[in-house]
Amino acid sequence: MLGLLQHACGIDPKANLAATLESARAAARDGAQIICTQELFGTQYFCQSENHGNYGLAEPIHPNPGPTTQAFQTLAREEKVVVIASIFEQRAPGLFHNTAAIIDADGALLGIYRKMHIPDDPLYYEKFYFTPGDVGDVNNSGFRAWETAFGKIGVLICWDQWYPEAARLTALAGAEIILIPTAIGWHPAEKAAEGAVQCDAWQTIQRSHAIANGCFVAAVNRIGHETPAGGEGIEFWGQSFVAAPSGEVIAQAAADQPETLLVQADLTQVHEARTHWPFLRDRRIDAYGGLTERFLD
Amino acid sequence: MLGLLQHACGIDPKANLAATLESARAAARDGAQIICTQELFGTQYFCQSENHGNYGLAEPIHPNPGPTTQAFQTLAREEKVVVIASIFEQRAPGLFHNTAAIIDADGALLGIYRKMHIPDDPLYYEKFYFTPGDVGDVNNSGFRAWETAFGKIGVLICWDQWYPEAARLTALAGAEIILIPTAIGWHPAEKAAEGAVQCDAWQTIQRSHAIANGCFVAAVNRIGHETPAGGEGIEFWGQSFVAAPSGEVIAQAAADQPETLLVQADLTQVHEARTHWPFLRDRRIDAYGGLTERFLD
């Protein structure tokens, strides 16, 4: 059973961590086996401005786990659950990533996933903060899948969710569940005119990954209206959800309420979907070379 | 303006061609500039069985256009419209493709697209009939885009629609509209239990191509319950539609009625979508090499 932790973030990182640990423990006790946080749950979404002070929010993960990773390793071991925890990582002085720690049910740090696609948009100034994940480096970056105690999983982070290439590579690596911590919301000035279409596009592209790859996709988003840089800020749209390999949304949280989504993911559906819609059988790998080009002009 | 021709197919190929030409001409007179047929509109969906006699339904397209291509070339020239016509192609004795002829508004055969991904499923025995399209051969196969009188377009055919790779490559080749002739329907025995989910997955994956690539996607499906091989046959689900670059469905036909869908496709939306959701900017082409592998095991 998946446990997706959707909530609002306050100003105090310690309180955010404590609340997330508490939700994770409650989810475990309610039967969750694979627990996933929202993106950068430890803080408000600081990327709304380019502020050098925010680098101080980062902590190490690999090879020497920092306090947040350690806290979830302890929880994972005690509760016998898999945890995907999204953390602002300092890899070295001046080198930062938007990273997820993948922790197995015995508390071992199975690996990390460093966000590969980094956005840069008004109020989402991530290219200022995060170096994109490396390809196939020794720290287990790049698109990957991990055999956990409760299934083979892959992780993508937020902006990655718009790239079919990312989902495909994660599925080809063996993932049967793709978990996607995210932080996405409405610009308050756009919400009335474009909010519904934006939200629907966000869910549609992720459902399409489930369909194309015959796997589960679980997106975990935050809620709350945050204005850490002043101005109108961002109203995070919540609506964390799980899509089955058929593309069906089998669970969805509210747009404005904290919620732990507990969702049964029957992995036999992966075999069922992939044999009845046998897309992996017919990929034209001889014809896909152009995908490593920027544009075919 | 796009004109998508959705209708049922009868037993007589001559009558199907005549009806499709008449619909195309009417669409042109109603303002359509780019007209697209459903997949293999000339016949009932003969792939419901493996029958050598059906090879006789094929005709040449390239380099010597057969009668169907010629008829649409005449229509295109007379009505000053672009036509995408889906035809069962005999390329050589014993060599057949599922092909679309791309005809410009002056009647010139701009190119052809030969279906790259070929399905094989109960009642969809296409691997018996169709050789998959070549990669980059002299006949303009492979994933392509063509500059027509009314915009740069790409074409995919049916099973291709499930492959994000196909849509991406077509967009990278420059397509701002991807047209997808298709023939998909319900097995009557599955319709009640799974029909809605199947249909929704079909629309969702194609909408996702519009979103991921910031382009229009137009799918043209047939209607009608066909039993050319006896048995329960296939109930084609119609519902031809156009998705805008935002992913919004801006027009959709009925499931069981012949319909010519006339849809304004404002190509300035491509620039708008691709700059406000700048996915092409951030593709990790250094990390996509695995997409040309069958599986990453």
Side-chain angles (χ1 to χ4, degrees):
Chain A
M1 183 184 279
L2 305 177
L4 314 186
L5 312 181
Q6 168 179 302
H7 52 94
C9 290
I11 303 286
D12 177 16
K14 283 209 179 73
N16 292 327
L17 175 58
T20 302
L21 285 166
E22 189 181 317
S23 297
R25 219 173 271 276
R29 290 174 184 175
D30 287 340
Q33 296 162 307
I34 300 175
I35 293 172
C36 186
T37 75
Q38 62 200 25
E39 185 183 16
L40 301 173
F41 68 87
T43 58
Q44 289 207 326
Y45 185 69
F46 56 84
C47 311
Q48 293 190 44
S49 67
E50 300 193 353
N51 179 340
H52 292 86
N54 289 331
Y55 289 116
L57 299 168
E59 58 178 90
I61 303 177
H62 182 95
N64 301 307
T68 300
T69 306
Q70 287 182 30
F72 278 103
Q73 288 184 277
T74 300
L75 183 148
R77 189 175 56 245
E78 290 177 356
E79 303 291 345
K80 300 183 176 56
V81 291
V82 171
V83 176
I84 294 92
S86 168
I87 300 168
F88 182 18
E89 179 193 13
Q90 174 162 340
R91 183 174 176 182
L95 182 55
F96 302 85
H97 293 284
N98 186 330
T99 303
I102 293 93
I103 302 167
D104 209 354
D106 61 358
L109 182 59
L110 264 186
I112 58 172
Y113 171 76
R114 291 176 173 144
K115 187 171 182 173
M116 292 289 282
H117 301 90
I118 307 293
D120 191 301
D121 224 21
L123 300 189
Y124 294 85
Y125 302 107
E126 294 199 18
K127 289 192 197 294
F128 175 74
Y129 292 104
F130 310 125
T131 295
D134 295 327
V135 177
D137 70 0
V138 292
N139 291 332
N140 295 341
S141 304
F143 305 104
R144 288 284 305 270
W146 293 270
E147 191 72 73
T148 73
F150 301 111
K152 198 154 184 182
I153 65 167
V155 176
L156 298 174
I157 300 176
C158 205
W159 195 237
D160 293 324
Q161 70 209 169
W162 300 97
Y163 292 83
E165 293 95 338
R168 178 70 93 201
L169 286 163
T170 303
L172 292 182
E176 301 193 341
I177 306 170
I178 301 177
L179 297 124
I180 314 184
T182 189
I184 191 169
W186 296 295
H187 296 300
E190 289 180 358
K191 183 180 174 186
E194 302 178 45
V197 169
Q198 291 171 352
C199 232
D200 190 34
W202 173 78
Q203 187 176 81
T204 298
I205 192 83
Q206 293 178 93
R207 289 177 59 207
S208 83
H209 304 328
I211 295 165
N213 297 294
C215 65
F216 286 87
V217 170
V220 195
N221 192 24
R222 67 174 66 197
I223 58 165
H225 189 174
E226 299 181 11
T227 57
E232 289 191 298
I234 301 175
E235 187 182 336
F236 292 93
W237 69 44
Q239 300 178 70
S240 302
F241 71 94
V242 177
S246 62
E248 266 183 293
V249 174
I250 55 175
Q252 182 171 333
D256 56 2
Q257 297 296 320
E259 204 165 327
T260 293
L261 217 51
L262 295 170
V263 186
Q264 207 60 256
D266 172 6
L267 294 180
T268 66
Q269 289 180 26
V270 173
H271 173 82
E272 179 78 7
R274 289 186 182 175
T275 48
H276 284 72
W277 297 92
F279 306 133
L280 293 187
R281 183 190 63 194
D282 294 332
R283 294 177 65 244
R284 289 296 305 273
I285 57 174
D286 58 323
Y288 293 165
L291 293 170
T292 59
E293 301 291 328
R294 187 64 67 204
F295 201 71
L296 298 168
D297 50 2
Chain B
M1 184 184 279
L2 305 178
L4 315 186
L5 312 181
Q6 169 180 302
H7 52 94
C9 291
I11 303 286
D12 177 15
K14 282 207 179 74
N16 292 326
L17 175 59
T20 303
L21 285 166
E22 188 181 318
S23 299
R25 218 173 272 275
R29 290 174 184 178
D30 288 340
Q33 297 162 307
I34 299 175
I35 293 172
C36 185
T37 75
Q38 62 201 25
E39 186 183 16
L40 301 173
F41 67 87
T43 58
Q44 290 206 326
Y45 185 68
F46 55 82
C47 312
Q48 293 189 46
S49 67
E50 301 194 353
N51 178 341
H52 292 84
N54 289 330
Y55 289 115
L57 298 168
E59 58 177 89
I61 304 177
H62 181 95
N64 301 307
T68 300
T69 306
Q70 287 181 31
F72 277 104
Q73 288 184 278
T74 301
L75 183 148
R77 188 175 57 245
E78 290 176 358
E79 303 291 345
K80 299 183 176 55
V81 292
V82 170
V83 176
I84 294 90
S86 168
I87 301 168
F88 182 18
E89 179 192 13
Q90 174 163 339
R91 183 174 177 181
L95 181 56
F96 301 86
H97 294 283
N98 186 330
T99 303
I102 293 93
I103 302 167
D104 210 355
D106 60 359
L109 182 60
L110 264 186
I112 57 172
Y113 171 76
R114 290 175 173 144
K115 188 171 182 172
M116 291 288 282
H117 301 90
I118 306 294
D120 191 299
D121 224 22
L123 299 188
Y124 294 86
Y125 301 107
E126 294 199 16
K127 289 192 197 296
F128 176 75
Y129 293 104
F130 310 127
T131 294
D134 294 328
V135 177
D137 70 359
V138 294
N139 292 330
N140 296 342
S141 304
F143 305 104
R144 288 284 304 268
W146 293 270
E147 190 73 71
T148 73
F150 302 111
K152 197 153 185 181
I153 66 167
V155 176
L156 298 173
I157 300 176
C158 205
W159 194 237
D160 292 324
Q161 71 208 171
W162 299 97
Y163 292 83
E165 294 94 340
R168 178 71 93 200
L169 287 163
T170 303
L172 292 182
E176 301 192 341
I177 306 170
I178 301 177
L179 297 125
I180 313 182
T182 189
I184 189 168
W186 294 295
H187 296 301
E190 289 180 358
K191 184 179 174 186
E194 302 178 44
V197 169
Q198 291 171 351
C199 232
D200 190 36
W202 173 78
Q203 188 177 78
T204 298
I205 192 82
Q206 293 178 93
R207 289 178 58 208
S208 83
H209 303 328
I211 296 165
N213 297 294
C215 65
F216 287 87
V217 170
V220 195
N221 192 25
R222 67 174 64 198
I223 57 165
H225 189 174
E226 299 182 10
T227 57
E232 290 190 297
I234 301 175
E235 187 181 336
F236 292 94
W237 67 46
Q239 301 177 68
S240 302
F241 71 95
V242 177
S246 62
E248 267 183 291
V249 174
I250 55 176
Q252 182 171 333
D256 56 2
Q257 297 296 320
E259 204 165 328
T260 292
L261 217 52
L262 295 170
V263 186
Q264 206 60 256
D266 172 7
L267 294 180
T268 66
Q269 289 180 27
V270 173
H271 173 81
E272 179 78 6
R274 289 186 182 175
T275 49
H276 284 70
W277 297 90
F279 306 133
L280 293 187
R281 183 190 63 192
D282 294 331
R283 293 177 66 245
R284 289 296 306 273
I285 57 174
D286 58 323
Y288 294 165
L291 293 169
T292 58
E293 301 292 328
R294 186 64 67 204
F295 201 70
L296 299 169
D297 49 2

